[in-house]
Amino acid sequence: MEGNDKDSAVKSNVATPSNDSTERRKAKNKKKSKSKKVKVKKPSIALQFPPRPATEVGGNEAAPSVSHNDSKAPQKEDTDFDVYAGRGITKLTQGNSRFPRAHFKCGYCEYFCDDLATVDRHLCEERHKKREEAACFIECLLLLATPPENILRIIDRCLTDAIAGLGLTLSDYKIRNKYKDNLNKKISSDFPGCYFELYGSSLTRFGFKNSNINFSFNVPPKVNGPTALLNLKSWLEKQEEIRDVTLNVGCELPLITFRDRENDFSCDVALNNTEAVKLSELLSNYGAIDDRVLPLGITFRHWAEVCKLASQDDGGLPKHAFAVMTVFYLQHVQPPVLPLAPISAEKGKPSEAQWGTKRTSWESGNKSTVGELWLGLLKFFSVRYPLSDYIVRIDKRGIEKSNGRRKIIIEDPFQPKMNIARTVISGSTMEYFLHCMRITFKYFSIPNTADGPIYHHVIRDGTLAEDSKEKETREEMIEKMLREDERFNKKLDGLISQKNASSSANTHSNLTITVSQAHTLNCGVNEKCVSFNFSQFSFTGGKKLPLVCTFCMEDNHTQKACPLNRPDKLVQMTADHIMTLDRVCEYVLENFSQTQKQIDLRKSIVMDLEQYISKLYPNVKLELFGSSCNGFGLQNSDLDICLTLKGNDTGMDLDFVQIIEDLFVHLKGYKSIRNLVPITSAKVPIIKFNHFSSELDGDISIYNVLAQNNTRLLKVYSDIDIRVKILGYVMKRFAKLCNICDASRGSLSSYAYILMVIYFLQQCEPPVLPVLQELPEGRSKPEKLVEGWNVYFYDDIDNLQAVWPNIGKNKTSVGSLWCELLNFYAEKFDFKTHVVSVRQKEPLLRFTKMWTTKCMAIEDPFDLNHNLASGLSKKMHLYIIKAFKKGQVHFRNSIRGGSLSVAELEVSLFKSDKLIEGEPPNNRSRHMRHGNGGAGRRNKNKKSEEIRTQKSTEVIRSPVKQGGKFEQAISYGRVVQPFERNPKDSFYGKRNRANHAFGPNTTMAHSADIRNWRQGSGHRAENMVQSRVVENSALKVNMNGPLAPQSPFHFQVLQRNQQQMKSAFPNAEVLEQRVEILGNKSPSRRIVDISHPSRR
């Protein structure tokens, strides 16, 4: 009773009366403890169910707390949560680092939710509903069992009838092979050493009777391939039995197409397509191993034709990709039907001896019919094998995970870097492909009558929620279907009305049944009323192939209707408009070109460098090249310096790498430069540096003589007409503003844009510039060989009138020329077929240089094998074209009346948001993954990064006693933000990371971090952590304290300010400083105490 009375007192908030203070204190404490017990314990945050309410006032019990240890509450929670679990929602047993408050996750959408209210909102979203529906559909496909044998026989007959008369027979192959032999006999006299080879479906027999005949025209290595193909075109045009000869040079693989009059064959001839021949021979060998391979492959390709998926021009797959996918499936079905192709470890090619042994000795243990294999293939690629995550590969290297950057990767075994399915560029196309595969698999897995499938959906046994009455109704319907099976059969004879049969079939087609019920129906259905057909609606469900543009890679339009291929509507410019543009272009030249003072400064820097380097190499000669002296240099352009030795014009018998390493060590003592970075893995070894006083970046290269001649050529062109120089500066201003002028990021270099300007001025009418390498016309040109290339060009500008009479005939203003230049490259110039080449007036085809696989071709005027646009990706190419198209409209329409100054006009015209859309695609890492020598560059860069990590370290331990002067010392340096790096910077940062360049009167942005460090660390040396030093041995101090355990800030103190540090810390005791200089093979070490000048 006493306990109840106390409880009552607590409930009524009245204390028990007592005169004893101790008792009052105890009663007060008990009151607090009781009030705590009355509070309801909150449920676990992982389950946001409402807590059970507390007992009403007047009761004697406190409300029980809700916890996971409660034996009753979790049962109700789990029962309620089953509804969410059935819709893809799971409870998180561990926290997520990105979403720490999340306790639920949607497995369909990869979406994290904090509570059940958020889950409910997410389940109502259209995104989740679509993915949930797709997941249920996939689950249904996984539950579909293999049809019984009688249904499989019907499927076999359907497939046989579908491809009857379509596939190539052995006699068709012999006819095409004989036609190839006849062509070889005819060309043997006119083209010695050249011959035709079959490839493609004519050799593999995975094609149709109306498939083209593909020939590879193989020429000897000494014969110029493009010239031979052009001669072959002329030869074919003279043959009477051949008609419709055309040469297509705009595609990735240039082709000659023609037709044979007698057999009406359509033939395609490619040049030296030996890799395709090898793949075709491999597929042909696979087709000969097992009799089921060819019918299955032809069926798969016929299915793709019906679904409109076998057209590369529409963003689909190439036709031979379906043969490769067929072989891949047959290699991985259990037991396998086909073996893996043996690959030679040395050359990556199938070994004939190994392949011949395996082909003759192989015997498959798989006895499935073509119908079973067809169903297995559909299920394998639609729900079993994730095509977006794994590579389709038929050689013995086996299954490998893809990089995720492609929608689907089908690897050519003879060209491992070649993706056969690279034409699939849209996610909507891939979704359509998987949709058709799944619809087709469901269509053939459920017995179909003439009016549709006998049931619609399959679910697991025991998951169909229904009462006993509904269950009886469903079972009665299934029994009725089996009884009416004869009625369906009689319908074929016309014994029952079409109306009754249709109504009954429609009722059954919407039926959802369990797995066991589906098995009952599959086994009980009469095979006479089951039929399948190859129709587009049966395979697509009425869905159409999405429109995809293979040029701009956008959806909802084709390449013919691409906006980038349509000319823009341009307004006619008035005289005032043109005059204003002229003033703006001239303003760009005046304000962005180098002044004479800056030119003299650059020359003096080179002279001082040459004088210092002459101590190491007495006969050294340094010369400027590039933008510093080609007539198109900006004020902040880098210093490009070429190092040569007097008396050695070619650099023969010199070790360039050793020279760079010796020069690097020697230049460490030159106080006028900093941030030295040697790059010995480049084609031309260089040393990068930064000039201290002028803050100009520069690099010294060894015997880059060819680049010097390029510089002289551009200089002569710029001196012929002032408009050349103006347009060059305007083009560089435009390209840099649009972020398309950085070759290190996958775009074009400024040198390439200058060549584009010169090429336009050579091609316009009348031309502004001549082709200096073709002058004087009609005479033999002298040869001046540098590195095996002829670097001759006409450079006598004073007598140019005598050899080129068109000089001065073009009177177009520079503003009009700028708009015409943008229009020329946006609409008129065909980048698919032509090369930007300033060495000849006649248009140069990309086919003649075999540069057909690149998006753009810009030829170096001397090194004719160098394509300056070889590193350009398709996305960057499109970005550049879009910039030209927007630019031509912007510069024609943006000038309005008013009293704006020229400077204001220039700012209003050169606005990046008016010239580009979004950020440019960053392809800097692309060069490390693809292209010739990519692996080598990747390994070398990795090695240099390891060296940098190992050798650029510094340890400082210092009990700093003057905390008040800490900020003053740091203010002499520059703060470098962690994890930020400018690609142009040599290491972590340089001068133009200017938002953290501090001086004595500058407010410290990190003063709070410094204060926290000082207060938390207690000025103890053990709280300072290891930091690193950059190439110029500057000190980069990284301090850490208890209040900022994850390195709160990083800052870099330059060596030149060590004297200020000593004055700021006159009593500091520096215990140790170890500096390891970057670049030394054996890093030097020295112990320094900067607090005492005598110890330095």
Side-chain angles (χ1 to χ4, degrees):
M1 293 297 295
E2 184 178 357
N4 291 335
D5 290 340
K6 289 182 179 180
D7 289 340
S8 301
V10 173
K11 297 289 184 181
S12 58
N13 294 327
V14 178
T16 304
S18 176
N19 295 327
D20 192 354
S21 61
T22 304
E23 293 181 358
R24 285 198 300 268
R25 244 186 345 263
K26 290 181 180 180
K28 186 176 181 181
N29 293 337
K30 289 182 180 180
K31 178 180 178 180
K32 290 182 179 180
S33 62
K34 282 291 182 181
S35 62
K36 289 181 181 180
K37 290 182 181 179
V38 171
K39 290 184 179 180
V40 179
K41 185 178 180 180
K42 292 183 179 180
S44 171
I45 195 170
L47 291 174
Q48 296 293 335
F49 295 116
R52 287 185 287 178
T55 304
E56 297 293 337
V57 177
N60 294 331
E61 292 183 0
S65 61
V66 179
S67 66
H68 289 292
N69 295 325
D70 191 357
S71 60
K72 295 181 180 181
Q75 294 179 3
K76 183 177 185 302
E77 291 173 355
D78 293 341
T79 303
D80 294 341
F81 193 77
D82 287 343
V83 179
Y84 296 102
R87 301 192 63 182
I89 305 299
T90 58
K91 302 175 186 177
L92 294 178
T93 57
Q94 294 181 351
N96 186 277
S97 58
R98 292 182 59 193
F99 308 99
R101 295 186 301 174
H103 296 87
F104 302 94
K105 177 185 176 182
C106 175
Y108 298 150
C109 310
E110 293 296 321
Y111 188 79
F112 292 84
C113 304
D114 293 351
D115 48 38
L116 288 178
T118 309
V119 172
D120 291 333
R121 288 194 300 269
H122 174 68
L123 294 179
C124 297
E125 294 178 358
E126 195 65 28
R127 171 185 62 171
H128 177 82
K129 291 180 180 179
K130 288 181 64 177
R131 296 188 179 183
E132 184 181 7
E133 182 180 355
C136 293
F137 183 52
I138 292 175
E139 184 179 6
C140 171
L141 297 181
L142 292 172
L143 293 175
L144 290 175
T146 303
E149 292 184 5
N150 57 342
I151 304 299
L152 289 174
R153 286 195 296 269
I154 298 174
I155 296 176
D156 285 331
R157 288 198 298 269
C158 173
L159 301 183
T160 303
D161 296 339
I163 64 175
L166 288 179
L168 289 168
T169 62
L170 185 60
S171 60
D172 295 328
Y173 164 73
K174 291 179 179 179
I175 292 173
R176 296 182 178 219
N177 194 50
K178 185 177 179 180
Y179 184 72
K180 179 257 300 182
D181 294 336
N182 293 335
L183 282 177
N184 282 331
K185 291 179 181 178
K186 292 180 180 180
I187 68 169
S188 59
S189 58
D190 297 327
F191 298 90
C194 302
Y195 60 95
F196 288 103
E197 271 190 301
L198 277 177
Y199 74 94
S201 57
S202 298
L203 180 58
T204 65
R205 294 172 53 198
F206 279 98
F208 303 146
K209 289 183 180 296
N210 59 352
S211 298
N212 293 354
I213 302 179
N214 301 104
F215 293 116
S216 173
F217 183 60
N218 301 326
V219 300
K222 296 182 180 180
V223 178
N224 184 272
T227 304
L229 197 62
L230 292 174
N231 294 336
L232 177 65
K233 176 180 176 292
S234 302
W235 182 86
L236 291 171
E237 290 173 342
K238 298 176 183 178
Q239 307 303 311
E240 296 181 357
E241 67 275 13
I242 293 176
R243 61 184 175 91
D244 302 336
V245 181
T246 57
L247 175 63
N248 184 6
V249 297
C251 55
E252 183 176 329
L253 184 66
L255 295 173
I256 294 178
T257 60
F258 65 89
R259 273 195 172 274
D260 180 74
R261 296 180 185 274
E262 181 181 354
N263 301 308
D264 200 30
F265 288 147
S266 178
C267 304
D268 297 333
V269 181
L271 180 65
N272 289 331
N273 200 4
T274 56
E275 304 300 328
V277 174
K278 295 174 184 176
L279 178 59
S280 300
E281 290 176 348
L282 179 63
L283 294 176
S284 177
N285 291 331
Y286 271 124
I289 291 179
D290 196 290
D291 295 337
R292 297 167 292 180
V293 178
L294 286 177
L296 186 62
I298 295 173
T299 300
F300 196 17
R301 175 169 169 179
H302 182 40
W303 170 86
E305 297 279 0
V306 172
C307 297
K308 311 295 184 185
L309 279 166
S311 175
Q312 298 184 69
D313 295 336
D314 296 330
L317 290 165
K319 295 177 175 60
H320 67 286
F322 298 98
V324 177
M325 294 178 71
T326 302
V327 172
F328 179 76
Y329 163 70
L330 294 177
Q331 289 173 338
H332 294 87
V333 68
Q334 294 301 323
V337 177
L338 295 176
L340 296 174
I343 297 295
S344 173
E346 296 179 357
K347 299 182 179 180
K349 300 177 181 179
S351 170
E352 290 296 333
Q354 295 178 7
W355 175 248
T357 304
K358 178 162 285 192
R359 183 177 54 180
T360 55
S361 62
W362 175 262
E363 183 176 353
S364 174
N366 191 315
K367 305 303 179 184
S368 301
T369 64
V370 175
E372 288 181 88
L373 293 175
W374 170 242
L375 287 174
L377 182 146
L378 293 172
K379 187 173 185 179
F380 180 77
F381 287 117
S382 60
V383 294
R384 292 292 188 189
Y385 192 78
L387 290 170
S388 59
D389 297 330
Y390 289 88
I391 300 174
V392 175
R393 174 187 289 160
I394 63 175
D395 57 40
K396 69 177 183 181
R397 287 175 292 170
I399 296 176
E400 180 183 345
K401 196 166 184 178
S402 66
N403 52 24
R405 290 185 292 269
R406 290 285 185 178
K407 311 301 179 185
I408 176 175
I409 297 180
I410 304 175
E411 189 178 274
D412 187 334
F414 300 96
Q415 303 177 83
K417 294 183 180 180
M418 180 67 70
N419 180 15
I420 297 175
R422 61 189 177 278
T423 53
V424 181
I425 56 178
S426 173
S428 58
T429 303
M430 195 61 197
E431 290 177 4
Y432 175 77
F433 174 76
L434 294 175
H435 167 79
C436 294
M437 293 280 288
R438 291 164 182 167
I439 291 291
T440 307
F441 172 62
K442 183 179 179 182
Y443 173 74
F444 281 104
S445 297
I446 301 176
N448 274 261
T449 67
D451 297 295
I454 62 175
Y455 53 87
H456 173 66
H457 198 74
V458 179
I459 58 177
R460 298 181 184 275
D461 291 333
T463 58
L464 190 61
E466 57 185 356
D467 54 24
S468 58
K469 186 176 181 180
E470 290 178 349
K471 186 176 181 180
E472 292 177 0
T473 304
R474 187 175 301 275
E475 291 177 352
E476 289 177 0
M477 184 179 294
I478 294 174
E479 292 178 1
K480 182 181 179 181
M481 290 173 60
L482 296 176
R483 288 196 306 268
E484 290 183 347
D485 184 59
E486 295 182 0
R487 295 182 60 201
F488 283 107
N489 188 26
K490 292 179 181 179
K491 174 187 174 295
L492 302 177
D493 300 328
L495 296 180
I496 64 172
S497 65
Q498 177 71 26
K499 181 178 180 181
N500 293 335
S502 299
S503 61
S504 177
N506 289 336
T507 302
H508 301 155
S509 63
N510 295 322
L511 186 64
T512 298
I513 59 178
T514 62
V515 175
S516 58
Q517 293 169 344
H519 178 71
T520 302
L521 286 178
N522 289 346
C523 296
V525 70
N526 191 339
E527 64 180 66
K528 293 182 180 180
C529 62
V530 176
S531 63
F532 299 96
N533 59 74
F534 255 63
S535 66
Q536 185 176 6
F537 182 83
S538 300
F539 298 158
T540 63
K543 191 174 182 179
K544 294 184 178 180
L545 176 69
L547 297 177
V548 177
C549 178
T550 54
F551 179 65
C552 70
M553 298 183 288
E554 298 291 339
D555 295 342
N556 302 323
H557 67 268
T558 60
Q559 183 174 349
K560 294 181 180 179
C562 181
L564 294 181
N565 290 331
R566 292 198 305 263
D568 294 320
K569 295 181 180 180
L570 304 176
V571 298
Q572 188 69 28
M573 293 190 299
T574 63
D576 292 340
H577 191 145
I578 295 174
M579 187 179 299
T580 304
L581 270 181
D582 294 342
R583 293 167 53 204
V584 171
C585 293
E586 293 169 358
Y587 175 84
V588 171
L589 174 66
E590 294 172 0
N591 286 270
F592 289 91
S593 62
Q594 298 172 0
T595 63
Q596 188 59 43
K597 182 178 179 180
Q598 292 170 336
I599 295 174
D600 294 340
L601 174 62
R602 291 169 180 263
K603 292 180 180 179
S604 65
I605 292 173
V606 174
M607 291 177 61
D608 294 341
L609 264 175
E610 181 179 340
Q611 184 178 0
Y612 184 80
I613 296 176
S614 62
K615 300 176 182 178
L616 180 65
Y617 298 107
N619 56 344
V620 71
K621 181 180 180 182
L622 297 185
E623 290 181 297
L624 278 172
F625 70 94
S627 55
S628 296
C629 53
N630 64 7
F632 299 98
L634 300 176
Q635 295 179 0
N636 60 346
S637 294
D638 294 349
L639 287 165
D640 298 310
I641 304 172
C642 177
L643 183 149
T644 57
L645 300 179
K646 298 175 183 177
N648 191 340
D649 296 334
T650 61
M652 292 293 292
D653 303 328
L654 293 179
D655 187 350
F656 291 172
V657 174
Q658 187 61 44
I659 292 176
I660 288 292
E661 292 177 351
D662 295 342
L663 196 61
F664 171 72
V665 176
H666 181 68
L667 288 176
K668 289 176 187 176
Y670 189 52
K671 302 301 182 183
S672 297
I673 61 176
R674 57 188 175 185
N675 296 348
L676 287 167
V677 180
I679 302 177
T680 58
S681 60
K683 181 181 177 181
V684 179
I686 62 173
I687 291 181
K688 288 183 172 293
F689 66 89
N690 176 260
H691 191 257
F692 187 83
S693 59
S694 64
E695 295 192 345
L696 290 174
D697 288 330
D699 58 71
I700 302 174
S701 56
I702 310 296
Y703 276 91
N704 201 358
V705 184
L706 204 59
Q708 289 181 296
N709 287 277
N710 288 333
T711 301
R712 293 195 305 109
L713 177 65
L714 297 190
K715 178 62 177 174
V716 174
Y717 274 122
S718 66
D719 291 339
I720 293 176
D721 195 307
I722 187 60
R723 292 174 295 179
V724 181
K725 183 174 290 189
I726 295 175
L727 287 177
Y729 275 98
V730 174
M731 175 64 99
K732 292 181 72 171
R733 171 82 169 123
F734 171 82
K736 289 183 178 294
L737 190 70
C738 296
N739 291 322
I740 55 176
C741 191
D742 189 352
S744 65
R745 286 183 169 268
S747 57
L748 297 175
S749 63
S750 59
Y751 173 53
Y753 284 110
I754 297 300
L755 291 180
M756 292 175 70
V757 171
I758 294 173
Y759 179 78
F760 162 73
L761 295 176
Q762 290 173 339
Q763 299 296 324
C764 63
E765 290 296 335
V768 177
L769 290 176
V771 180
L772 295 178
Q773 289 167 271
E774 291 184 338
L775 296 180
E777 297 178 354
R779 303 179 190 176
S780 61
K781 312 299 184 298
E783 279 194 356
K784 182 182 178 182
L785 296 180
V786 173
E787 299 179 15
W789 300 105
N790 186 11
V791 297
Y792 163 79
F793 63 91
Y794 188 86
D795 57 356
D796 189 2
I797 302 179
D798 296 334
N799 298 321
L800 185 61
Q801 178 73 36
V803 296
W804 192 63
N806 290 327
I807 187 171
K809 289 186 178 181
N810 190 310
K811 305 296 183 182
T812 309
S813 69
V814 68
S816 297
L817 285 175
W818 169 241
C819 291
E820 291 177 10
L821 183 148
L822 293 173
N823 178 256
F824 178 77
Y825 288 112
E827 297 178 0
K828 296 180 179 179
F829 185 76
D830 190 358
F831 285 102
K832 287 185 178 180
T833 58
H834 289 82
V835 180
V836 176
S837 176
V838 302
R839 66 178 175 89
Q840 64 180 50
K841 177 69 174 178
E842 183 181 354
L844 179 62
L845 293 176
R846 296 176 60 176
F847 159 69
T848 60
K849 301 186 70 65
M850 296 306 293
W851 288 351
T852 56
T853 59
K854 304 300 180 182
C855 301
M856 189 183 294
I858 303 175
E859 184 190 57
D860 187 275
F862 298 133
D863 185 356
L864 305 185
N865 289 336
H866 184 200
N867 179 10
L868 297 173
S870 60
L872 205 65
S873 68
K874 189 165 186 177
K875 289 184 179 180
M876 182 59 77
H877 167 69
L878 292 174
Y879 192 82
I880 293 173
I881 298 301
K882 289 178 182 178
F884 282 136
K885 288 184 72 69
K886 290 201 70 175
Q888 68 166 344
V889 175
H890 173 69
F891 282 97
R892 285 176 179 267
N893 301 343
S894 297
I895 295 181
R896 298 289 182 266
S899 57
L900 294 178
S901 64
V902 181
E904 293 172 333
L905 284 172
E906 193 272 339
V907 172
S908 65
L909 283 176
F910 288 92
K911 283 187 175 181
S912 59
D913 57 336
K914 301 294 183 181
L915 299 173
I916 55 176
E917 294 180 358
E919 293 295 324
N922 186 353
N923 295 287
R924 188 167 182 257
S925 61
R926 174 179 178 270
H927 307 290
M928 304 303 175
R929 300 191 302 267
H930 303 290
N932 296 330
R937 284 194 296 271
R938 180 172 61 249
N939 294 335
K940 289 176 181 177
N941 288 344
K942 183 178 180 181
K943 183 177 179 181
S944 62
E945 190 68 26
E946 292 174 354
I947 294 175
R948 177 181 300 168
T949 304
Q950 294 171 2
K951 296 187 179 181
S952 301
T953 60
E954 173 190 46
V955 177
I956 301 178
R957 299 184 182 92
S958 173
V960 184
K961 296 181 179 179
Q962 280 106 355
K965 292 189 177 182
F966 178 73
E967 292 88 342
Q968 179 183 352
I970 301 305
S971 67
Y972 294 128
R974 293 185 176 89
V975 172
V976 179
Q977 293 290 348
F979 312 117
E980 290 185 359
R981 180 178 175 186
N982 191 321
K984 292 186 177 180
D985 295 354
S986 58
F987 195 54
Y988 273 101
K990 67 172 187 178
R991 68 187 186 284
N992 54 8
R993 312 285 286 174
N995 54 336
H996 295 297
F998 300 109
N1001 300 323
T1002 307
T1003 303
M1004 288 295 296
H1006 291 69
S1007 58
D1009 292 328
I1010 296 171
R1011 183 169 57 254
N1012 291 340
W1013 170 80
R1014 187 169 61 244
Q1015 294 173 355
S1017 64
H1019 311 278
R1020 292 195 303 267
E1022 54 267 25
N1023 284 328
M1024 302 184 67
V1025 299
Q1026 179 176 336
S1027 63
R1028 305 168 72 185
V1029 61
V1030 296
E1031 294 82 19
N1032 62 346
S1033 302
L1035 305 182
K1036 182 188 174 192
V1037 186
N1038 176 11
M1039 299 187 180
N1040 203 352
L1043 298 182
Q1046 300 296 327
S1047 63
F1049 62 96
H1050 294 255
F1051 43 85
Q1052 176 182 359
V1053 183
L1054 302 179
Q1055 268 190 332
R1056 69 177 187 273
N1057 295 323
Q1058 287 186 357
Q1059 191 63 35
Q1060 286 88 334
M1061 285 189 67
K1062 289 196 304 179
S1063 61
F1065 295 94
N1067 299 321
E1069 298 175 6
V1070 178
L1071 302 180
E1072 181 185 15
Q1073 177 188 27
R1074 185 174 73 248
V1075 179
E1076 296 183 6
I1077 306 300
L1078 175 69
N1080 288 356
K1081 293 183 178 179
S1082 300
S1084 59
R1085 299 186 179 185
R1086 54 195 178 98
I1087 304 300
V1088 183
D1089 188 342
I1090 61 173
S1091 64
H1092 300 285
S1094 59
R1095 299 183 183 178
R1096 292 194 58 188

